Amino acid sequence: TDILQIELPGNRESVVVSLYSTDGTMILQNTHRTAGAVIQINMSSVSPGVYFLRVESETKTFTKKVVKR
């Protein structure tokens, strides 16, 4: 599927979701206002490969590896 879902339970802050290639190039970036929501990222325009997903809020930041097949 071309939809990446990110669950942010209990988060009431807006978040910035960024996707980077392995060489550090930003592929996409979106700002979402959440309230314990599931964020859906459309990756249909992204080529298969390995990427890094970064989610930043006012108080937390995390990065995860994503593989699109």
Side-chain angles (χ1 to χ4, degrees):
T1 180
D2 288 331
I3 302 296
L4 175 66
Q5 294 190 67
I6 307 163
E7 186 175 351
L8 301 172
N11 187 356
R12 300 199 182 279
E13 306 171 31
S14 63
V15 295
V16 178
V17 177
S18 307
L19 187 70
Y20 295 91
S21 64
T22 55
D23 69 2
T25 303
M26 184 185 296
I27 305 299
L28 60 85
Q29 184 175 63
N30 294 307
T31 300
H32 300 271
R33 301 200 185 283
T34 64
V38 173
I39 296 172
Q40 294 186 343
I41 306 295
N42 185 345
M43 294 186 56
S44 61
S45 64
V46 177
S47 299
V50 177
Y51 298 91
F52 293 97
L53 180 75
R54 182 178 176 100
V55 179
E56 299 177 74
S57 70
E58 293 176 15
T59 58
K60 297 178 185 175
T61 300
F62 69 86
T63 304
K64 298 288 182 186
K65 183 169 76 171
V66 174
V67 178
K68 181 177 180 193
R69 298 177 193 237

